[in-house]
Amino acid sequence: MSAGTALELPELVFEGGIPGFREARRFALVQVGDGPFGVLRCIDQPGVEFVVVPPMFFFADYEPEIDDDSAADLGLTGPDDALLLVVVNVADDIARSTANLLGPIVINPETRRGAQVILAGTDHKTQTPLVPA
């Protein structure tokens, strides 16, 4: 995804839900202003939403390996087919905001299917500071 691409997809299906929100299966991805952030908003359960961002804006060298089963489930044939996002925990002070690099959101924009993929065999954390200390 290029830096100028808008984060707008009106309906996405997460067949397995999202960990902790298994019943939340249909989402809309909505751009927030002109910046890189978006909101993944549940259509099925109002009030369930996640702030997301393409990791390239904060973690230029982040290149997670998505397992073959997850890629196949989403209909991905290569890395360029995927829209990769990370969930952000927004704090009042940007220096305390974190991103979940252990469980990226992977979306196939063509099929509108998505999943939160938990990475195996990695040192990535669920609360990685957005801004280095």
Side-chain angles (χ1 to χ4, degrees):
M1 181 178 129
S2 70
T5 302
L7 293 177
E8 292 284 340
L9 291 169
E11 187 167 337
L12 301 166
V13 176
F14 286 66
E15 291 178 10
I18 289 182
F21 301 89
R22 292 286 180 206
E23 301 303 315
R25 296 176 188 250
R26 293 183 317 132
F27 289 84
L29 179 60
V30 181
Q31 181 82 30
V32 175
D34 292 330
F37 294 95
V39 173
L40 192 59
R41 184 168 291 140
C42 185
I43 297 168
D44 301 320
Q45 297 180 354
V48 174
E49 56 187 37
F50 305 95
V51 175
V52 294
V53 68
M56 65 186 160
F57 287 97
F58 295 95
F59 309 99
D61 59 347
Y62 179 69
E63 293 182 8
E65 272 208 39
I66 307 305
D67 64 275
D68 292 341
D69 289 339
S70 295
D73 288 347
L74 296 172
L76 299 170
T77 57
D80 292 337
D81 295 343
L83 169 60
L84 184 67
L85 303 168
V86 293
V87 176
V88 176
N89 179 4
V90 180
D92 289 338
D93 178 2
I94 189 72
R96 292 189 6 236
S97 294
T98 60
N100 180 350
L101 299 186
L102 183 62
I105 301 289
V106 183
I107 297 170
N108 182 333
E110 293 296 317
T111 64
R112 304 244 172 140
R113 293 193 336 233
Q116 184 173 24
V117 177
I118 308 303
L119 303 176
T122 180
D123 291 335
H124 292 302
K125 309 270 187 263
T126 58
Q127 295 184 334
T128 305
L130 278 183
V131 180

